[in-house]
Amino acid sequence: MNKSWISPTIDQVGVEERVTRFNTRSVKKESKMQGMLLALNMIDLTTLEGKDTAGKVKQMCYKAMHLADDIEGLPTVAAVCVYPNHVKTAKKALQGSNVKIASVATAFPSGNSSRKIKLEDVKIAVTNGADEVDMVISRGEFLAGNYNFVFDEIAAIKEACGPARLKVILETGELSTLDNVRKASDIAIYAGADFIKTSTGKIQPAATMPVTLVMLQAIKDYYDESGIMIGMKPAGGISTSKQALQYLVMLYETLGEKWMTNEWFRFGASSLANDILLQLGKEKYGVYYSGDYISKD
Amino acid sequence: MQLEILKTYKLYIGGAFPRTESGRFYKLENNKKEVIANMCLSSRKDFRNAVVAARKAVEGWSGRAAFNRGQILYRIAEMLEGRKMQFIEELILQGATKANAEKEVRQAIDRCVYYSGWCDKYQPLFGSINPVATSHFNFSVPEPTGVVSVLADENSSLLGLVSVIMPIIVGGNTCVVLASETKPLCSITFAEVLATSDLPGGVVNILTGNSKELHTHFASHMDVNAVVYCRENVEEAKAIAELSSLNVKRSFFWQKDWTKTEHENPYLIMDLQEIKTTWHPIENIGVSGAKY
Amino acid sequence: MATTKNKIVKKSAPQVSSVKSVFQNYAPAPESSDHIQLKSQYDLFINGKFVKPLSKEYYDTINPATGKKIASVAKGNEKDIDAAVKSANKAFETWSKTAPKERAKYIYRIARMIQERAREFAVIETMNGGKSIRESRDIDVPLAANHFFYYAGWADKLEYAFPNRNPKPIGVAGQIIPWNFPLLMAAWKIAPALATGNTVVLKPAETTPLTALKLAEIIQESGLPDGVVNIVTGFGDCGAALVNHPQVNKIAFTGSTPVGKYIQKAIAGTSKKVTLELGGKAANIIFDDAPIDQAVEGIVNGIFFNQGHVCCAGSRLFIQENVAEKVIKKLKERMKTLIVGDPMDKNTDIGAINSQAQLDKINHYIKLGQKEGAEIFQPECSIPSHGFFCKPTLFIGTSQSHRIVQEEIFGPVLTIQTFRTIEEVIEKANNIPYGLSAGVWTDKGSKIFNLTSKLRVGVVWANTYNKFDPTSPFGGYKESGFGREGGVHGLLPYVKF
């Protein structure tokens, strides 16, 4: 199946200009406070390292539930994101909370493996208790023009996910053009993705606003056509509360209020939470705050 | 003794040689008051018809490759050269000395050759690539203004005519020209040159007649984009400037001694050119800090 | 295709209470005006000094967002113009002989001083003209400074601009500018005039004199010799006196086509040179292979930029019929996110209409469009109860024969027509006496060049719209005027050979 005929072309400079406009929005006072709380609540707190251990995962899970207990009214993050072999640990650590468990799978991050192994990878994650599966597409096949392969692979993995929600990572940093980002978004959406996600975090650049905007517009077009909502997850490179607010402005003005919950929008990030906490600390204590007062788990 | 065949001078409109629709004429006399020819006394309706022909010809002429226009203008010079003797005779009939007549024809031929060469050269000199600060490719090119009405030099039968027509048509414009009233012969013979030199019909249209009667129409016609006035009548010039404002017509006053080579130059071409600027985005990787 | 869209077992993470309403309204984010220095009364700037008008009259200049008075401004008359022109004429003797390198340095200095006081200029521009602070801050003021900076550099390089010619200054330039870009238009006019060695009498628009007068303060501080730039505020009679003054050698006018025609007629029979930047009714053409989302953005920038008070606004939208429904739907949704209101708020997209008169004119056309039977769309947005505001407006299902399609409205009102073929749209785009600008949206390069060469306009934006730059010539074909401003071509109107 060749989707190129249906995906609209993208003008990169036009996308960047639109992004610049989002970034001139000035979010102040109560809107800013609410935006920051919402952003916290949208975070997929992530550790995806070769050196991940049970200890590290447990510490992160505690942080996910207790962002800063000295500040009242904070939400938890949306989910933690780990490798499949750490899902069980996380499941146990998060017991009793509403924090979801997302697991990367499908030979993350390169995706270079056989279909059989990828499906097995997904099944392990789901069996171990993952609520959400973050898969990677086969970028090599995509760039070689084998769109059918990419589509079928996503569809097969969606089936393997069962009740777990499927996030499809496009790894936009390897796709080279915004036209490809749009094309890959459409393939993923039509093949059954519940979420589309920019990046693994292992390739630079990771999430950017132009890339995210193009993906949001693909979601919008699909929604207009089918009435079905798809979620969006920019991942990697979003580390400040200011950036997070800019993404929320973009989300709001592109997809609207309906998407302004962690059911439909996530930030894949490891250090964003603490930067937001730094700002909230300033609001609470009235002085510019220090990282020494915020836990680093 | 064989009887001489006299030439009937008609108008040149849309590549054809019609008589004036009005049926009017005026007598052209030499300085001995002998009638040389009956010239068409063009009416405003002839002018209107000529503008229709000129408008129709704009798209095709301006759409020609610049190189092709250059070849056609050079062809005009060739044709002029071939009929040199006829022009010299006409100029003498209209009162010129032989030496001056020969000189004028020589200069007219040179002028055609000169402008022929400009057809594909003024664009890079007067166009530009503009280094804008945003991520866009931006360039400006000259484009023809469109239909130009011309009241040619009254005192120069051939050279004055050629010197204004050439810079106008070099750049893809078409024109309607009122020839010298007192020295009109060369204009119609020149029309015959044009008609045999691959110049598409309607690019140049030539009328003979009276400036006093026609100048206001040359300036007021709403489908004419520019007017060039090459005569010395101050009142006519002012009326032309005033009437041009009806449709923001570009008006130019070229009162020049056409025997001087300083009056052959690309700035005359540029008078009848508009500058068009085009913008297009350039994917400039890294502009917003976004790299992919 | 085996879509596995057996959608989602909905599982929600905990919600923060009331987060849903987070961005329904951005909190007010007013630009501070504390640091702005405004006098209660402004005089004329003649011969390097601020002088009382010989008319002895003043008028109120207001803030169109509130309707309230900001300051009194001198109402110059014929005698004031005469004094200004004489001062410019006198200054020309020395200024035209000033070493080009020195001329350049004065202009560079003015550019720098505008940059230093950019925020102040932006705030005053917004207060006096009604445009959003985002635009005056990000577009008008930086472009104005850049324009001075660009032309400064030309002053000592003019002989390279005109092959085989020796350019010389003309004399006194009488410059009349409109109210839609008050400071920027002053820069467009003054910078090339000074660079080429001319002197200036500038008449700002009657509703927006303040930034020009602020510019006068800068010019005074810059040490530019007295009389090189004179600024006379006033009404139409003041402009007419400038046009008709015998010692004015060049007229540069930006404004409406009827006034442009008046000027062209008025100077007939004189040796005055003239450039006219007049009205427009630009076609913005969307093909089915366009980058649709960016095209929608281009439509919005094309018509709603500066409340549509833009001579090159993309006010006639042509959409290829097979994508029309989709584009219109997206356009409507995009319009719902536009914020109309207090121009001083940093989040405002569409500010105040410049004057009551202009608002009346726009409303007249909105009524006319409805009377002509076109389908109207306006987003549901609140607009302030005071001041002059107009919702962004679409008219769908229009044709070339509608008056709202033929006439320049100069407001945030867009007419939409559909087309089938490229020949059809070229014909319709050119089927208007104006010829200032056009937009073309398609992914196909050869189609772009086909259109850009056939559209009879001075500026074509392909896959973009409403872009301006000091290096880029701007100006019209046909009844949109003649002469160019900006770039190397912008020098020609200010020199003689």
Side-chain angles (χ1 to χ4, degrees), chain C residues 350-413:
Chain C
I350 300 181
I353 301 301
N354 185 261
S355 64
Q356 181 68 54
Q358 188 58 28
L359 183 60
D360 291 344
K361 183 183 165 194
I362 295 165
N363 284 334
H364 159 76
Y365 276 108
I366 290 176
K367 279 201 195 95
L368 179 64
Q370 289 168 294
K371 211 167 114 190
E372 286 182 309
E375 178 195 336
I376 187 171
F377 171 80
Q378 291 177 324
E380 285 173 24
C381 58
S382 63
I383 56 174
S385 51
H386 299 289
F388 317 133
F389 290 90
C390 179
K391 288 183 179 183
T393 305
L394 297 184
F395 279 109
I396 301 157
T398 61
S399 62
Q400 290 288 99
S401 309
H402 281 86
R403 276 184 60 202
I404 51 167
V405 173
Q406 295 165 341
E407 297 172 21
E408 188 179 32
I409 298 173
F410 224 62
V413 181

Side-chain angles (χ1 to χ4, degrees), chain A residues 85-229:
Chain A
N85 53 330
H86 292 294
V87 169
K88 271 188 179 164
T89 313
K91 181 95 182 162
K92 205 172 155 201
L94 290 169
Q95 224 159 25
S97 83
N98 284 317
V99 178
K100 301 280 174 275
I101 300 162
S103 172
V104 298
T106 70
F108 181 94
S110 77
N112 281 330
S113 188
S114 67
R115 172 98 31 109
K116 194 176 156 201
I117 287 174
K118 289 184 187 182
L119 288 171
E120 203 53 40
D121 205 15
V122 170
K123 277 174 200 152
I124 292 166
V126 175
T127 314
N128 286 349
D131 304 295
E132 299 165 0
V133 172
D134 291 23
M135 71 167 283
V136 290
I137 66 164
S138 298
R139 284 88 74 192
E141 298 290 345
F142 178 88
L143 291 172
N146 297 330
Y147 304 132
N148 286 340
F149 181 97
V150 177
F151 183 95
D152 292 344
E153 186 170 77
I154 296 167
I157 286 167
K158 169 68 187 169
E159 213 162 305
C161 281
R165 293 177 82 187
L166 175 62
K167 305 199 196 92
V168 178
I169 301 170
L170 309 180
E171 195 64 303
T172 53
E174 289 188 340
L175 296 184
S176 172
T177 66
L178 291 180
D179 283 320
N180 277 347
V181 170
R182 172 67 197 226
K183 207 182 288 177
S185 301
D186 287 341
I187 290 172
I189 290 169
Y190 279 87
D194 299 306
F195 259 77
I196 49 177
K197 175 176 167 185
T198 58
S199 322
T200 61
K202 303 297 176 194
I203 294 286
Q204 286 301 321
T208 65
M209 285 186 72
V211 159
T212 306
L213 177 58
V214 169
M215 293 169 73
L216 291 174
Q217 281 163 341
I219 292 171
K220 175 87 171 79
D221 285 344
Y222 184 71
Y223 177 72
D224 285 346
E225 217 165 88
S226 67
I228 297 170
M229 290 171 76

Side-chain angles (χ1 to χ4, degrees), chain A residues 9 11 15 17-18 21 25-26 34 41 98 158 189 193-194 220-222 224 252-253 257 260 262, chain C residues 4-5 7 13-14 18 23-27 134 291 294 297 329-330 333-334 347 349 443 467:
Chain A
T9 59
D11 182 74
V15 171
E17 284 173 2
R18 182 73 183 111
R21 280 291 290 274
R25 289 293 193 214
S26 180
Q34 286 185 320
N41 191 224
N98 284 317
K158 169 68 187 169
I189 290 169
D194 299 306
K220 175 87 171 79
D221 285 344
Y222 184 71
D224 285 346
Y252 176 65
E253 294 201 12
E257 237 183 293
M260 303 289 287
N262 65 11
Chain C
T4 47
K5 197 106 309 210
K7 278 281 128 175
S18 81
F23 286 123
Q24 268 176 342
N25 293 299
Y26 297 101
R134 181 185 59 78
Q294 289 79 59
E297 208 49 35
K329 180 173 190 294
K330 280 173 179 278
E333 289 189 8
R334 175 68 178 92
N347 287 324
D349 295 305
D443 201 40
K467 292 283 178 295

Side-chain angles (χ1 to χ4, degrees), chain C residues 410-421:
Chain C
F410 224 62
V413 181
L414 179 67
T415 65
I416 304 181
Q417 299 179 69
T418 59
F419 69 94
R420 297 155 300 172
T421 65

